[in-house]
Amino acid sequence: MTLHPPEPFRIKMVEPIKLLDRNTREVAIRGANYNLFGLRSEEIFIDLFTDSGTSAMSQAQWAAMLEGDEAYAGARSYYRLAEVIQDIFGFPYFLPTHQGRAAENILSACLVKPGQYVPSNMHFDTTYANIRARGGLPTNLVIEEAHHTGSYHPFKGNMDIEKLRDFINRVGADKIPFGMITVTNNAGGGQPVSLENLRRVSQTYKEFGIPFFIDACRFAENAYFIKLREPGYADKTPLEISQEMFALADGITMSAKKDGMVNIGGFITMRDEALFEQARNELILREGFPTYGGLAGRDLDAMAIGLREVLQEEYLAYRLGQTAYLAARLRELGIPIIEPPGAHAVYVDAGLLLSHIPQEQFPAQALTVELYLEGGIRTVEIGSLTFGHLDPDTDKMVYPKLELVRLALPRRVYTQSHLDYVAEIFGKTAARCDQIPGYQLNYAPKLLRQFTAQLEPIKADNHLSKTLTELSILSV
Ligand code: F0G
């Protein structure tokens, strides 16, 4: 087993975590209606729910926070951040927002009209919902290889250029207010996009006069994959690669809770002045004045430092190495994962592991519950609970192609022994996976239902009592 490059930092402050006993965990998960969003943080031992806003800040970031300028307008913190953003991303205009979805909301509010389409490789669920909320139709055009979990492809986040061209010709460029691409492709396994693909996507959008926006949440991780895997980039720095990526676009939406290395924050950038003016008005209406955008001055300073730190090569080598290490441990145990692993998470193919549970009984959700029960680990479902929906035309449920469980790694938080523990718990869970029950849904809202859904395990006697109730109804 190859170990990952050692952490390029040492620990100066610690946050205690505790493994509760099995009985307490059982009570907790029942109380949360078998939805891990409902658990309290203190009920969790290892939290791999998300890499978003959960990273550890550096001493430089904490020090910069003390220098935060809290002036309502024109704060020094804003100008410090503006300089960093200008250097890395290179757009003439930028607006801070409180997080990524606020940037997505502003972009959708300014540009999307009902019935219009927004293509991407794959939209993340908040991007999808923000476009839908304006009456738009988000469309995913990722390459076919993205759907084959076990096979190797260096850039499974790439967009299918042929599909994109056909799509634009079919719906008409006037029906597409802007096009997107997500780097790395979170909804498809955290897979990177190559520079050659970004170039072709950019050319295609340009040819049809469609503005091109990058969802840049994990841009540094994507840049490092390009350095490692794309011919011609081995000698370039992550900063140079990032600059080359963004030179191809008309703007970005960013959740700095990922590769901004902060607990809160985001921004939107653009080249177009008219769009900037419109976006600025939206920002003032909902987020705040353009030099703070819903954040404190100190948050802007932490972000300015984080955006620099995330591009350091020793950090990125450790980051990608840590995820590859966890993936290797799971692979060793025979756990099916999306290959090759991305940078921010390992995605387990729960549909394959729990093949005895049909999709309408939420196999991936069942695995998340079981990992919590077995070892106090919190992971997230990306399957039929998150993406299953009723087709209004056929009145039938539509399920996603994959039932995944994501193990997201917060940045600079867990050590190798934490990951060894996770692998050990996976081993125990997988050994009795045929006994894991499916789940029934007792409550779910229409949009973004995974956050507040309530579920219950389907037990053999549950089946029986349901059948008996149905029988007695019939006999009446
Ligand atoms: N785009 C991508 C690709 C994301 O992964 C996220 C968030 C967002 C946009 C929205 O950003 O949370 O700051 O509003 N992803 C988190 C996750 C929530 O767990 O993957 P936000």
Side-chain angles (χ1 to χ4, degrees):
M1 168 71 55
T2 45
L3 303 181
H4 59 80
E7 286 78 1
F9 52 83
R10 55 188 176 194
I11 298 165
K12 188 181 294 205
M13 191 192 283
V14 295
E15 178 183 358
I17 50 174
K18 190 167 182 271
L19 178 62
L20 303 178
D21 63 53
R22 168 101 197 186
N23 269 350
T24 314
R25 296 201 296 273
E26 277 174 13
V27 172
I29 196 73
R30 208 177 310 128
N33 292 300
Y34 298 93
N35 182 343
L36 284 88
F37 278 98
L39 289 173
R40 286 170 177 239
S41 172
E42 67 203 20
E43 290 163 340
I44 293 147
F45 185 44
I46 307 281
D47 202 346
L48 305 184
F49 209 36
T50 178
D51 63 320
S52 178
T54 51
S55 301
M57 293 211 297
S58 67
Q59 58 182 6
Q61 286 179 292
W62 283 111
M65 286 189 83
L66 286 176
E67 297 204 18
D69 178 350
E70 306 303 340
Y72 189 95
R76 287 186 291 267
S77 305
Y78 168 81
Y79 291 104
R80 286 193 281 262
L81 176 62
E83 196 180 307
V84 174
I85 289 183
Q86 176 61 36
D87 183 30
I88 301 172
F89 302 93
F91 297 95
Y93 303 106
F94 109 92
L95 294 165
T97 59
H98 79 274
Q99 59 183 86
R101 69 198 68 183
E104 294 158 8
N105 172 44
I106 288 171
L107 188 63
S108 303
C110 292
L111 295 182
V112 178
K113 303 216 167 43
Q116 292 188 324
Y117 295 87
V118 181
S120 184
N121 48 354
M122 287 175 89
H123 292 279
F124 180 66
D125 54 10
T126 57
T127 327
Y128 185 92
N130 267 302
I131 295 165
R132 287 289 297 269
R134 303 285 163 181
L137 302 159
T139 310
N140 294 340
L141 300 171
V142 73
I143 55 169
E144 187 49 37
E145 286 87 339
H147 304 297
H148 305 301
T149 53
S151 70
Y152 180 87
H153 184 292
F155 293 103
K156 269 187 179 174
N158 282 355
M159 220 160 155
D160 187 321
I161 305 293
E162 283 312 304
K163 269 197 221 160
L164 176 62
R165 294 189 75 84
D166 289 352
F167 179 77
I168 300 172
N169 282 321
R170 187 154 46 80
V171 304
D174 56 327
K175 283 272 189 62
I176 305 178
F178 63 98
M180 289 193 87
I181 200 161
T182 313
V183 301
T184 55
N185 182 20
N186 186 12
Q191 298 292 319
V193 178
S194 70
L195 248 167
E196 117 95 14
N197 190 254
L198 281 167
R199 228 174 274 125
R200 293 182 66 200
V201 169
S202 166
Q203 275 161 8
T204 308
Y205 284 139
K206 201 165 276 155
E207 184 186 323
F208 289 93
I210 299 167
F212 172 30
F213 278 79
I214 299 180
D215 176 339
C217 293
R218 299 179 180 85
F219 73 96
E221 293 172 359
N222 199 90
Y224 203 63
F225 274 122
I226 289 174
K227 183 179 169 75
L228 296 180
R229 294 182 185 167
E230 192 159 351
Y233 288 94
D235 296 329
K236 298 229 160 128
T237 64
L239 173 63
E240 287 166 338
I241 296 170
S242 302
Q243 288 164 335
E244 200 171 324
M245 284 161 58
F246 297 120
L248 297 166
D250 297 300
I252 66 162
T253 55
M254 173 78 189
S255 167
K257 297 172 76 173
K258 287 80 170 172
D259 275 354
M261 305 269 242
V262 286
N263 304 118
I264 195 72
F267 54 90
I268 177 167
T269 69
M270 64 276 283
R271 294 194 196 284
D272 187 72
E273 191 179 354
L275 174 62
F276 171 66
E277 282 168 15
Q278 211 185 337
R280 189 170 55 185
N281 291 338
E282 277 293 324
L283 186 89
I284 294 172
L285 185 65
R286 295 175 207 283
E287 293 273 307
F289 191 74
T291 61
Y292 72 87
L295 294 166
R298 55 181 168 271
D299 297 328
L300 304 181
D301 273 308
M303 205 194 300
I305 306 269
L307 287 167
R308 292 258 185 239
E309 288 182 350
V310 80
L311 287 167
Q312 287 166 4
E313 294 214 31
E314 315 78 69
Y315 161 75
L316 284 167
Y318 142 76
R319 171 76 175 154
L320 268 64
Q322 193 182 44
T323 315
Y325 175 79
L326 177 60
R329 293 290 327 256
L330 297 183
R331 204 181 287 128
E332 233 176 32
L333 292 164
I335 312 281
I337 59 171
I338 294 194
E339 296 283 9
H344 76 292
V346 178
Y347 291 66
V348 172
D349 189 338
L352 211 56
L353 191 64
L354 304 184
S355 53
H356 63 288
I357 304 179
Q359 272 201 300
E360 61 271 22
Q361 293 181 14
F362 311 107
Q365 181 66 15
L367 183 59
T368 64
V369 172
E370 218 54 35
L371 289 168
Y372 175 71
L373 285 172
E374 188 66 48
I377 299 168
R378 179 156 69 169
T379 54
V380 76
E381 189 257 17
I382 305 181
S384 46
L385 183 60
T386 300
F387 289 118
H389 61 275
L390 204 61
D391 184 328
D393 296 332
T394 60
D395 217 25
K396 283 202 178 115
M397 281 302 289
V398 185
Y399 293 106
K401 288 194 181 147
L402 299 174
E403 289 289 329
L404 301 174
V405 168
R406 185 184 74 171
L407 286 68
L409 296 174
R411 293 163 185 77
R412 306 190 290 207
V413 170
Y414 291 117
T415 64
Q416 191 170 302
S417 41
H418 288 124
L419 301 187
D420 287 337
Y421 172 82
V422 171
E424 188 188 316
I425 295 302
F426 245 100
K428 285 189 189 161
T429 309
R432 51 172 187 77
C433 64
D434 54 340
Q435 294 155 33
I436 297 174
Y439 282 75
Q440 68 183 48
L441 203 53
N442 291 341
Y443 163 80
K446 277 206 177 111
L447 206 57
L448 296 172
R449 66 179 186 167
Q450 69 275 22
F451 293 108
T452 52
Q454 297 179 2
L455 303 103
E456 180 184 331
I458 300 172
K459 298 207 180 79
D461 53 341
N462 235 359
H463 263 315
L464 190 64
S465 62
K466 244 189 133 186
T467 316
L468 287 177
T469 324
E470 275 161 17
L471 282 178
S472 60
I473 290 168
L474 282 178
S475 63
V476 174

PDB file of all heavy atoms in Angstrom, residues 50-52 99-101 104 124 126-127 182 186 215 217-218 255 257-258 406, ligand 1:
ATOM      1  N   THR A  50     -19.527  16.429   3.665  1.00  0.00           N
ATOM      2  CA  THR A  50     -19.195  17.383   2.611  1.00  0.00           C
ATOM      3  C   THR A  50     -17.795  17.955   2.826  1.00  0.00           C
ATOM      4  O   THR A  50     -17.290  17.964   3.957  1.00  0.00           O
ATOM      5  CB  THR A  50     -20.225  18.527   2.573  1.00  0.00           C
ATOM      6  OG1 THR A  50     -19.833  19.470   1.560  1.00  0.00           O
ATOM      7  CG2 THR A  50     -20.315  19.277   3.896  1.00  0.00           C
ATOM      8  N   ASP A  51     -17.214  18.444   1.729  1.00  0.00           N
ATOM      9  CA  ASP A  51     -15.946  19.172   1.806  1.00  0.00           C
ATOM     10  C   ASP A  51     -16.236  20.675   1.758  1.00  0.00           C
ATOM     11  O   ASP A  51     -15.335  21.475   1.567  1.00  0.00           O
ATOM     12  CB  ASP A  51     -15.049  18.796   0.628  1.00  0.00           C
ATOM     13  CG  ASP A  51     -15.672  19.210  -0.708  1.00  0.00           C
ATOM     14  OD1 ASP A  51     -16.891  19.053  -0.866  1.00  0.00           O
ATOM     15  OD2 ASP A  51     -14.954  19.702  -1.590  1.00  0.00           O
ATOM     16  N   SER A  52     -17.508  21.045   1.898  1.00  0.00           N
ATOM     17  CA  SER A  52     -17.920  22.429   1.686  1.00  0.00           C
ATOM     18  C   SER A  52     -18.034  23.187   3.002  1.00  0.00           C
ATOM     19  O   SER A  52     -18.908  22.873   3.826  1.00  0.00           O
ATOM     20  CB  SER A  52     -19.270  22.427   0.972  1.00  0.00           C
ATOM     21  OG  SER A  52     -19.719  23.736   0.788  1.00  0.00           O
ATOM     22  N   GLN A  99     -22.347  32.643  -0.517  1.00  0.00           N
ATOM     23  CA  GLN A  99     -21.834  31.330  -0.929  1.00  0.00           C
ATOM     24  C   GLN A  99     -22.160  31.078  -2.386  1.00  0.00           C
ATOM     25  O   GLN A  99     -22.697  31.957  -3.062  1.00  0.00           O
ATOM     26  CB  GLN A  99     -22.303  30.212   0.000  1.00  0.00           C
ATOM     27  CG  GLN A  99     -23.787  29.994   0.149  1.00  0.00           C
ATOM     28  CD  GLN A  99     -24.074  28.901   1.174  1.00  0.00           C
ATOM     29  OE1 GLN A  99     -24.143  29.175   2.350  1.00  0.00           O
ATOM     30  NE2 GLN A  99     -24.227  27.668   0.725  1.00  0.00           N
ATOM     31  N   GLY A 100     -21.837  29.886  -2.893  1.00  0.00           N
ATOM     32  CA  GLY A 100     -21.964  29.617  -4.324  1.00  0.00           C
ATOM     33  C   GLY A 100     -23.374  29.767  -4.857  1.00  0.00           C
ATOM     34  O   GLY A 100     -23.583  30.349  -5.926  1.00  0.00           O
ATOM     35  N   ARG A 101     -24.353  29.267  -4.133  1.00  0.00           N
ATOM     36  CA  ARG A 101     -25.711  29.292  -4.661  1.00  0.00           C
ATOM     37  C   ARG A 101     -26.250  30.705  -4.810  1.00  0.00           C
ATOM     38  O   ARG A 101     -27.151  30.946  -5.616  1.00  0.00           O
ATOM     39  CB  ARG A 101     -26.633  28.384  -3.835  1.00  0.00           C
ATOM     40  CG  ARG A 101     -26.925  28.861  -2.459  1.00  0.00           C
ATOM     41  CD  ARG A 101     -27.451  27.751  -1.592  1.00  0.00           C
ATOM     42  NE  ARG A 101     -26.426  26.738  -1.315  1.00  0.00           N
ATOM     43  CZ  ARG A 101     -26.629  25.626  -0.615  1.00  0.00           C
ATOM     44  NH1 ARG A 101     -27.828  25.353  -0.138  1.00  0.00           N
ATOM     45  NH2 ARG A 101     -25.638  24.777  -0.394  1.00  0.00           N
ATOM     46  N   GLU A 104     -25.118  31.701  -8.117  1.00  0.00           N
ATOM     47  CA  GLU A 104     -25.953  31.025  -9.124  1.00  0.00           C
ATOM     48  C   GLU A 104     -27.309  31.706  -9.234  1.00  0.00           C
ATOM     49  O   GLU A 104     -27.863  31.873 -10.328  1.00  0.00           O
ATOM     50  CB  GLU A 104     -26.167  29.556  -8.725  1.00  0.00           C
ATOM     51  CG  GLU A 104     -24.906  28.725  -8.750  1.00  0.00           C
ATOM     52  CD  GLU A 104     -25.006  27.477  -7.884  1.00  0.00           C
ATOM     53  OE1 GLU A 104     -26.111  27.168  -7.376  1.00  0.00           O
ATOM     54  OE2 GLU A 104     -23.974  26.818  -7.686  1.00  0.00           O
ATOM     55  N   PHE A 124     -24.564  20.889 -10.635  1.00  0.00           N
ATOM     56  CA  PHE A 124     -24.725  20.521  -9.225  1.00  0.00           C
ATOM     57  C   PHE A 124     -26.170  20.828  -8.822  1.00  0.00           C
ATOM     58  O   PHE A 124     -26.835  21.645  -9.459  1.00  0.00           O
ATOM     59  CB  PHE A 124     -23.734  21.299  -8.353  1.00  0.00           C
ATOM     60  CG  PHE A 124     -23.858  20.943  -6.900  1.00  0.00           C
ATOM     61  CD1 PHE A 124     -23.529  19.674  -6.465  1.00  0.00           C
ATOM     62  CD2 PHE A 124     -24.335  21.861  -5.977  1.00  0.00           C
ATOM     63  CE1 PHE A 124     -23.677  19.327  -5.122  1.00  0.00           C
ATOM     64  CE2 PHE A 124     -24.471  21.523  -4.641  1.00  0.00           C
ATOM     65  CZ  PHE A 124     -24.141  20.257  -4.214  1.00  0.00           C
ATOM     66  N   THR A 126     -27.748  22.626  -6.543  1.00  0.00           N
ATOM     67  CA  THR A 126     -28.205  24.007  -6.304  1.00  0.00           C
ATOM     68  C   THR A 126     -28.238  24.809  -7.618  1.00  0.00           C
ATOM     69  O   THR A 126     -29.119  25.662  -7.806  1.00  0.00           O
ATOM     70  CB  THR A 126     -27.282  24.740  -5.307  1.00  0.00           C
ATOM     71  OG1 THR A 126     -25.939  24.733  -5.793  1.00  0.00           O
ATOM     72  CG2 THR A 126     -27.330  24.106  -3.933  1.00  0.00           C
ATOM     73  N   THR A 127     -27.302  24.543  -8.518  1.00  0.00           N
ATOM     74  CA  THR A 127     -27.288  25.215  -9.825  1.00  0.00           C
ATOM     75  C   THR A 127     -28.546  24.798 -10.598  1.00  0.00           C
ATOM     76  O   THR A 127     -29.267  25.635 -11.159  1.00  0.00           O
ATOM     77  CB  THR A 127     -26.037  24.799 -10.652  1.00  0.00           C
ATOM     78  OG1 THR A 127     -24.957  24.570  -9.764  1.00  0.00           O
ATOM     79  CG2 THR A 127     -25.671  25.853 -11.658  1.00  0.00           C
ATOM     80  N   THR A 182     -18.910  22.418 -15.048  1.00  0.00           N
ATOM     81  CA  THR A 182     -18.559  22.363 -13.634  1.00  0.00           C
ATOM     82  C   THR A 182     -17.194  21.701 -13.483  1.00  0.00           C
ATOM     83  O   THR A 182     -16.986  20.592 -13.984  1.00  0.00           O
ATOM     84  CB  THR A 182     -19.604  21.515 -12.853  1.00  0.00           C
ATOM     85  OG1 THR A 182     -20.908  21.946 -13.248  1.00  0.00           O
ATOM     86  CG2 THR A 182     -19.453  21.675 -11.368  1.00  0.00           C
ATOM     87  N   ASN A 186     -18.730  17.588  -9.708  1.00  0.00           N
ATOM     88  CA  ASN A 186     -19.139  17.017  -8.424  1.00  0.00           C
ATOM     89  C   ASN A 186     -20.256  15.989  -8.581  1.00  0.00           C
ATOM     90  O   ASN A 186     -20.177  14.883  -8.047  1.00  0.00           O
ATOM     91  CB  ASN A 186     -19.587  18.160  -7.499  1.00  0.00           C
ATOM     92  CG  ASN A 186     -19.900  17.699  -6.097  1.00  0.00           C
ATOM     93  OD1 ASN A 186     -19.594  16.585  -5.712  1.00  0.00           O
ATOM     94  ND2 ASN A 186     -20.523  18.566  -5.322  1.00  0.00           N
ATOM     95  N   ASP A 215     -18.555  26.847 -13.411  1.00  0.00           N
ATOM     96  CA  ASP A 215     -18.772  26.644 -11.975  1.00  0.00           C
ATOM     97  C   ASP A 215     -17.418  26.171 -11.442  1.00  0.00           C
ATOM     98  O   ASP A 215     -17.005  25.039 -11.668  1.00  0.00           O
ATOM     99  CB  ASP A 215     -19.868  25.595 -11.772  1.00  0.00           C
ATOM    100  CG  ASP A 215     -20.081  25.255 -10.296  1.00  0.00           C
ATOM    101  OD1 ASP A 215     -19.162  25.494  -9.481  1.00  0.00           O
ATOM    102  OD2 ASP A 215     -21.151  24.721  -9.965  1.00  0.00           O
ATOM    103  N   CYS A 217     -15.975  25.878  -8.345  1.00  0.00           N
ATOM    104  CA  CYS A 217     -15.807  25.508  -6.930  1.00  0.00           C
ATOM    105  C   CYS A 217     -14.490  24.807  -6.614  1.00  0.00           C
ATOM    106  O   CYS A 217     -13.850  25.092  -5.628  1.00  0.00           O
ATOM    107  CB  CYS A 217     -16.901  24.541  -6.505  1.00  0.00           C
ATOM    108  SG  CYS A 217     -18.503  25.267  -6.487  1.00  0.00           S
ATOM    109  N   ARG A 218     -14.098  23.848  -7.477  1.00  0.00           N
ATOM    110  CA  ARG A 218     -12.905  23.035  -7.174  1.00  0.00           C
ATOM    111  C   ARG A 218     -11.866  23.214  -8.282  1.00  0.00           C
ATOM    112  O   ARG A 218     -11.290  22.249  -8.786  1.00  0.00           O
ATOM    113  CB  ARG A 218     -13.326  21.574  -6.969  1.00  0.00           C
ATOM    114  CG  ARG A 218     -14.308  21.431  -5.794  1.00  0.00           C
ATOM    115  CD  ARG A 218     -14.785  20.015  -5.561  1.00  0.00           C
ATOM    116  NE  ARG A 218     -15.702  19.939  -4.431  1.00  0.00           N
ATOM    117  CZ  ARG A 218     -17.017  20.159  -4.486  1.00  0.00           C
ATOM    118  NH1 ARG A 218     -17.596  20.470  -5.641  1.00  0.00           N
ATOM    119  NH2 ARG A 218     -17.773  20.081  -3.405  1.00  0.00           N
ATOM    120  N   SER A 255     -18.156  28.842  -5.240  1.00  0.00           N
ATOM    121  CA  SER A 255     -18.372  28.627  -3.818  1.00  0.00           C
ATOM    122  C   SER A 255     -16.982  28.526  -3.193  1.00  0.00           C
ATOM    123  O   SER A 255     -16.293  27.520  -3.373  1.00  0.00           O
ATOM    124  CB  SER A 255     -19.157  27.331  -3.576  1.00  0.00           C
ATOM    125  OG  SER A 255     -19.088  27.006  -2.205  1.00  0.00           O
ATOM    126  N   LYS A 257     -16.320  27.987  -0.317  1.00  0.00           N
ATOM    127  CA  LYS A 257     -16.346  26.989   0.752  1.00  0.00           C
ATOM    128  C   LYS A 257     -15.587  25.721   0.346  1.00  0.00           C
ATOM    129  O   LYS A 257     -15.355  24.852   1.170  1.00  0.00           O
ATOM    130  CB  LYS A 257     -17.804  26.650   1.098  1.00  0.00           C
ATOM    131  CG  LYS A 257     -18.562  27.854   1.631  1.00  0.00           C
ATOM    132  CD  LYS A 257     -20.036  27.568   1.787  1.00  0.00           C
ATOM    133  CE  LYS A 257     -20.309  26.721   3.013  1.00  0.00           C
ATOM    134  NZ  LYS A 257     -21.777  26.584   3.253  1.00  0.00           N
ATOM    135  N   LYS A 258     -15.255  25.627  -0.936  1.00  0.00           N
ATOM    136  CA  LYS A 258     -14.449  24.485  -1.395  1.00  0.00           C
ATOM    137  C   LYS A 258     -12.999  24.980  -1.572  1.00  0.00           C
ATOM    138  O   LYS A 258     -12.278  25.107  -0.604  1.00  0.00           O
ATOM    139  CB  LYS A 258     -15.018  23.919  -2.703  1.00  0.00           C
ATOM    140  CG  LYS A 258     -16.309  23.135  -2.538  1.00  0.00           C
ATOM    141  CD  LYS A 258     -17.503  23.992  -2.430  1.00  0.00           C
ATOM    142  CE  LYS A 258     -18.796  23.248  -2.513  1.00  0.00           C
ATOM    143  NZ  LYS A 258     -19.940  24.131  -2.218  1.00  0.00           N
ATOM    144  N   ARG A 406     -21.271   9.302  -1.284  1.00  0.00           N
ATOM    145  CA  ARG A 406     -20.049  10.117  -1.384  1.00  0.00           C
ATOM    146  C   ARG A 406     -19.373  10.247  -0.027  1.00  0.00           C
ATOM    147  O   ARG A 406     -20.006  10.580   0.964  1.00  0.00           O
ATOM    148  CB  ARG A 406     -20.417  11.502  -1.913  1.00  0.00           C
ATOM    149  CG  ARG A 406     -19.196  12.370  -2.161  1.00  0.00           C
ATOM    150  CD  ARG A 406     -19.585  13.771  -2.593  1.00  0.00           C
ATOM    151  NE  ARG A 406     -20.102  14.539  -1.473  1.00  0.00           N
ATOM    152  CZ  ARG A 406     -20.367  15.843  -1.508  1.00  0.00           C
ATOM    153  NH1 ARG A 406     -20.195  16.510  -2.639  1.00  0.00           N
ATOM    154  NH2 ARG A 406     -20.827  16.476  -0.455  1.00  0.00           N
TER     155      ARG A 406
HETATM  156  N1  F0G B   1     -21.489  24.011  -7.414  1.00  0.00           N
HETATM  157  C1  F0G B   1     -20.892  22.867  -7.025  1.00  0.00           C
HETATM  158  C2  F0G B   1     -20.136  22.045  -8.020  1.00  0.00           C
HETATM  159  C3  F0G B   1     -20.984  22.465  -5.675  1.00  0.00           C
HETATM  160  O1  F0G B   1     -20.398  21.332  -5.295  1.00  0.00           O
HETATM  161  C4  F0G B   1     -21.695  23.284  -4.759  1.00  0.00           C
HETATM  162  C5  F0G B   1     -21.836  22.881  -3.364  1.00  0.00           C
HETATM  163  C6  F0G B   1     -22.279  24.467  -5.207  1.00  0.00           C
HETATM  164  C7  F0G B   1     -22.145  24.810  -6.544  1.00  0.00           C
HETATM  165  C8  F0G B   1     -23.045  25.383  -4.290  1.00  0.00           C
HETATM  166  O2  F0G B   1     -22.214  26.052  -3.433  1.00  0.00           O
HETATM  167  O3  F0G B   1     -22.936  25.303  -1.137  1.00  0.00           O
HETATM  168  O4  F0G B   1     -21.597  27.393  -1.463  1.00  0.00           O
HETATM  169  O5  F0G B   1     -23.963  27.309  -2.153  1.00  0.00           O
HETATM  170  N2  F0G B   1     -21.599  21.715  -2.957  1.00  0.00           N
HETATM  171  C9  F0G B   1     -21.640  21.230  -1.588  1.00  0.00           C
HETATM  172  C10 F0G B   1     -21.375  19.767  -1.582  1.00  0.00           C
HETATM  173  C11 F0G B   1     -22.852  21.624  -0.833  1.00  0.00           C
HETATM  174  O6  F0G B   1     -21.531  19.141  -0.521  1.00  0.00           O
HETATM  175  O7  F0G B   1     -20.991  19.206  -2.608  1.00  0.00           O
HETATM  176  P1  F0G B   1     -22.704  26.535  -1.955  1.00  0.00           P
END
